[in-house]
Amino acid sequence: METLYSCCCGLDVHKDTVQACILKGDVHEEPESELRKFSTLRNDLMNLVRWLSDNACTHVAMESTGVYWQPIYEVLEEYGIQIYLVNARYMKNMPGRKTDIKDSQWIADLLRHGLLKASFVPDKFFRTFREYTRTYKNLSDDRAALVNRIERFLQSRGFKLSTVLSDILGVTGRNILKHLVKHGQISLPQIVSLIKGTTKHSPEEIALAVNGTLSKEQRNLLAHHLRHLDSLDELLKNLLKDTCQLIEPYQKQLNQLTSIPGISDVTALGLLAEIGVDMSKFASSEHLASWAGLSPRNCESAGKKNKRGSCQEIPI
């Protein structure tokens, strides 16, 4: 098997420690290995960088273990070290591993022979930008869960507001909920005065759907839900504003994405955050689609096709 690197390093990353193995020697000879353990504190990560520098080691590979790889990746990146971030699944599927070999040594051995495929990692700017968009996505999911919680609360009290309003937290729905928080019940004339715009159902039908009474304790709980919702809405608004300001240098690319039918501003921000703007990282459009999990699997065998809906991931 051809050897590509005379000196390379494998890192086995854990929460608090990094097990490192350097393989060093002529490409035509059996390499010498040196194992060391470092903590994940920045001071000790600098010792790792110095150790790599002392051995003239410029190629390092490690598994993409949770989020633990990120601070190590950034420190090594600062010093121009070529980093291979590898999906653990590929390494586990590689045959020939000895039972007594350390994980870091196995990673280094695979790298030495060019058997590792590096995962796509955007540059530092887009990694930071990605944290913004993913946080926005998580908060949006929290908001959706809270809306469902409010709906379940109303249903459990016999209020069928979602039956007569398409959005129970639209302007009309909010007006009715605020009235219920304040008074515990609502009459037809009050509903008429609170309706803004047009509704699919008549005020009489809406009155029948919310014909009930909330106790003081129930009104208090509903008020907590609505305040929580207001705080999430404000947080999402401010986070989206900051996200848009951060991506201003790439406004041209953002405009190109939003010009595609069906791509909203938020979707375009997410796309830029995940794939960046440098398409040379992907060998082809097919590789990009596969990386995104959108490439249908080819399950043809002996002329017969299996149409099970799965995806084939092309390593890049």
Side-chain angles (χ1 to χ4, degrees), residues 298-307:
N298 183 2
C299 298
E300 184 173 345
S301 178
K304 295 182 180 180
K305 291 185 177 181
N306 184 340
K307 297 183 179 180

Side-chain angles (χ1 to χ4, degrees), residues 56 59 71 74 91 148 154 172 193 195 226 254 265 273 278 300:
H59 290 77
E74 292 197 0
M91 284 187 284
N148 290 334
L154 294 172
T172 298
S193 67
I195 291 177
L226 293 179
L254 187 65
D265 291 342
D278 183 7
E300 184 173 345

Side-chain angles (χ1 to χ4, degrees), residues 263-280:
I263 301 295
S264 66
D265 291 342
V266 173
T267 302
L269 289 170
L271 285 171
L272 276 183
E274 296 302 324
I275 65 177
V277 295
D278 183 7
M279 295 299 101
S280 66

Side-chain angles (χ1 to χ4, degrees), residues 43 89 122 233 262 316:
N43 286 346
R89 183 180 65 181
D233 285 339
I316 61 171

Side-chain angles (χ1 to χ4, degrees), residues 7 22 24 36 47-57:
C7 182
I22 282 182
K24 192 173 184 179
R36 285 198 184 182
N47 291 332
L48 168 62
V49 171
R50 283 189 284 271
W51 180 57
L52 293 172
S53 178
D54 291 343
N55 285 277
C57 179

Side-chain angles (χ1 to χ4, degrees), residues 147 150-151 154 161-162 165-170 172-174 177:
V147 171
I150 293 172
E151 162 64 6
L154 294 172
L161 194 58
S162 61
L165 293 180
S166 58
D167 182 7
I168 64 171
L169 292 165
T172 298
R174 287 251 190 170
L177 292 177

